[in-house]
Amino acid sequence: MIHIDLTDQPIDVAAALQLVEAEGAGAINTFIGTVRNQSTGRSVVRLEYEAYDSMALHQLRKVAEQALEQWPMLQQVAIIHRKGTLYIGDVAVVVAVSTPHRAESFAACQFIIDTLKQVVTIWKKEFYEDGDVWVAAHP
Amino acid sequence: MIHIDLTDQPIDVAAALQLVEAEGAGAINTFIGTVRNQSTGRSVVRLEYEAYDSMALHQLRKVAEQALEQWPMLQQVAIIHRKGTLYIGDVAVVVAVSTPHRAESFAACQFIIDTLKQVVTIWKKEFYEDGDVWVAAHP
Amino acid sequence: MNLKIALFGIAREIVGQSALEVSAPEGQSARGLLQDLHARYPELARLSSLAVAVNNEYAAEDAPLREHDEIALIPPVSGG
Amino acid sequence: MNLKIALFGIAREIVGQSALEVSAPEGQSARGLLQDLHARYPELARLSSLAVAVNNEYAAEDAPLREHDEIALIPPVSGG
């Protein structure tokens, strides 16, 4: 089962964890990305995430499907990404997977967040005291 | 910072996550072990975890300290293990770590749960419809 | 044919609007579209990458574009 | 000297009690203690492993035991 969401509301991590609970799954791995107070040495004040919604949702689902292909024992996959304005400590993304065995839970969760960062059409702009930058835009 | 607990009360996963939140940590990885309905092909009814408390707490702390040595960027580490009687779906263990960068959050969390399973003095007895077994006791 | 192109992130800022209509020869490829846009907006060429998406999928460079496709410019993504 | 040994899990069940007092020669090693206990409780020898802990640490096989040590038998752990 795949659960995908892209939301401008605060992410409820506990609810995300409940999505992946399964009686046959003894192992749940969760990655939570939060807004750090620093980025490449500069003090971050806030972030803005912009998304190409329809493509982001489609690509998020594809990433989850690829994980299910690679680890057929996966029972539940949840990927929830925030958009809009975020402040220090806010949750930007939650990935949660459940499997019968733990090694696969780590591998699948890491695959999902790594692949998400490469292909999902979401853009982050960091705002500092003295300027702003679209992350990764320039070499 | 290291947070260790061994408890006969249900584990509050959300509270465990709050323990590892840190402003400089953009990445939180969490492993949750729950009671599965099956083990080596038999239907599990319930589990009992017995602990050698003082040594388990000491060894849990050592595992966390080893992780901090190996990944000095770790900001917070929480390890909470349940003991007593557990039923299907109950949370047996939560490991949560926060770091500035995600690859290390996966590696450190996996190191902790793998090492915990090798050294921490906690014993699991599985109860089936038709018997019970101390897990891993015999070759 | 006329292509309508959705713009996001820094590409939207460089162009100064969130959608663009361009006229292109029939069978224009994704690569051809990018060359056109690089000529009109040189700052786009300075990005680490710039992909074309068609109907929510990344398009191959030689993929021919069609008038009713949902086309978008994809500057380097940075979600997560 | 007298050693007091705490027992857990399947070791506790095999011995039938949660602590054991044994008399041992001065300087008895962890290995020597295990050999004694294997002789008295042959089922202990069938376990996948059986370690001795002294004061909350795993003891080396040749570690000498002392009367006031907190000693425990550690059958294969299975937490997590």
Side-chain angles (χ1 to χ4, degrees):
Chain A
M1 280 285 294
I2 294 174
H3 313 268
I4 301 291
D5 198 11
L6 177 62
T7 175
D8 55 9
Q9 298 300 307
I11 295 177
D12 181 341
V13 175
L17 286 172
Q18 277 171 2
L19 287 175
V20 302
E21 280 173 10
E23 295 211 332
I28 296 172
N29 190 267
T30 307
F31 177 82
I32 303 170
T34 62
V35 178
R36 285 208 292 153
N37 56 7
Q38 286 219 37
S39 177
T40 57
R42 300 178 79 175
S43 288
V44 174
V45 178
R46 69 174 200 278
L47 293 186
E48 275 173 28
Y49 279 103
E50 175 176 338
Y52 175 12
D53 287 39
S54 66
M55 183 164 172
L57 288 166
H58 178 69
Q59 296 290 331
L60 284 170
R61 183 164 295 276
K62 270 180 78 168
V63 174
E65 285 167 354
Q66 284 165 18
L68 277 162
E69 243 170 69
Q70 205 166 332
W71 293 277
M73 66 158 60
L74 282 185
Q75 304 223 342
Q76 306 276 336
V77 176
I79 315 177
I80 301 167
H81 205 296
R82 179 85 180 271
K83 58 181 185 173
T85 303
L86 279 77
Y87 297 90
I88 309 305
D90 284 353
V91 174
V93 62
V94 173
V95 179
V97 305
S98 57
T99 70
H101 299 293
R102 76 181 182 285
E104 289 77 6
S105 77
F106 281 94
C109 189
Q110 191 159 17
F111 167 84
I112 290 170
I113 185 67
D114 287 353
T115 310
L116 180 161
K117 284 177 171 269
Q118 289 164 12
V119 305
V120 174
T121 49
I122 297 174
W123 296 272
K124 173 163 62 181
K125 193 174 195 174
E126 287 180 343
F127 292 81
Y128 321 105
E129 297 284 354
D130 58 346
D132 54 70
V133 164
W134 285 103
V135 173
H138 291 107
Chain B
M1 279 285 293
I2 295 175
H3 313 269
I4 301 292
D5 199 11
L6 177 62
T7 174
D8 55 9
Q9 298 300 308
I11 295 176
D12 182 340
V13 175
L17 286 172
Q18 277 171 2
L19 288 176
V20 302
E21 280 174 10
E23 295 211 332
I28 296 173
N29 189 266
T30 306
F31 177 82
I32 303 170
T34 62
V35 179
R36 284 208 293 153
N37 56 7
Q38 286 218 36
S39 176
T40 57
R42 301 177 78 175
S43 287
V44 174
V45 178
R46 70 175 201 278
L47 293 185
E48 276 173 27
Y49 279 103
E50 176 175 337
Y52 175 13
D53 287 40
S54 65
M55 183 165 173
L57 288 166
H58 178 68
Q59 296 290 330
L60 284 170
R61 183 164 296 275
K62 270 180 79 169
V63 173
E65 285 167 355
Q66 285 165 18
L68 279 161
E69 244 170 68
Q70 204 165 333
W71 293 277
M73 65 158 61
L74 282 186
Q75 304 223 342
Q76 305 276 338
V77 175
I79 316 177
I80 301 167
H81 205 296
R82 179 85 181 272
K83 58 181 185 173
T85 303
L86 279 78
Y87 296 91
I88 309 303
D90 283 352
V91 174
V93 62
V94 173
V95 179
V97 305
S98 57
T99 69
H101 299 293
R102 77 182 181 287
E104 289 78 5
S105 77
F106 281 94
C109 189
Q110 192 159 16
F111 166 83
I112 290 170
I113 185 67
D114 287 353
T115 310
L116 181 161
K117 285 178 171 269
Q118 287 162 15
V119 305
V120 175
T121 49
I122 297 174
W123 296 272
K124 174 163 61 180
K125 193 174 193 174
E126 288 180 344
F127 291 80
Y128 320 105
E129 297 282 355
D130 57 348
D132 53 69
V133 164
W134 285 103
V135 174
H138 291 109
Chain C
M1 60 180 178
N2 282 318
L3 301 177
K4 204 182 158 203
I5 298 152
L7 302 167
F8 298 96
I10 195 168
R12 176 179 51 71
E13 284 191 358
I14 288 171
V15 173
Q17 51 199 65
S18 62
L20 200 58
E21 228 173 293
V22 302
S23 73
E26 283 299 321
Q28 171 76 301
S29 68
R31 187 195 299 109
L33 172 67
L34 283 176
Q35 284 167 350
D36 265 19
L37 293 172
H38 284 170
R40 288 170 59 184
Y41 305 97
E43 276 193 73
L44 289 178
R46 295 178 46 229
L47 298 177
S48 302
S49 68
L50 190 61
V52 174
V54 177
N55 303 328
N56 295 330
E57 297 283 1
Y58 289 94
E61 288 206 336
D62 55 0
L65 306 174
R66 281 165 304 233
E67 194 155 42
H68 296 295
D69 283 338
E70 182 180 326
I71 300 171
L73 280 194
I74 312 293
V77 298
S78 48
Chain D
M1 61 181 178
N2 282 318
L3 302 176
K4 206 181 156 204
I5 299 152
L7 302 168
F8 297 96
I10 194 167
R12 177 179 50 70
E13 284 193 357
I14 288 171
V15 173
Q17 51 200 64
S18 62
L20 200 57
E21 229 171 292
V22 301
S23 72
E26 281 301 320
Q28 171 77 301
S29 68
R31 186 195 298 109
L33 172 67
L34 283 176
Q35 284 167 348
D36 267 16
L37 293 172
H38 284 170
R40 286 171 59 185
Y41 305 98
E43 276 193 72
L44 289 178
R46 295 178 47 227
L47 299 176
S48 302
S49 67
L50 189 62
V52 174
V54 176
N55 303 327
N56 295 330
E57 297 283 2
Y58 289 94
E61 287 206 338
D62 55 1
L65 306 174
R66 281 165 303 232
E67 195 156 41
H68 296 295
D69 283 338
E70 183 180 326
I71 301 171
L73 280 195
I74 312 293
V77 298
S78 49

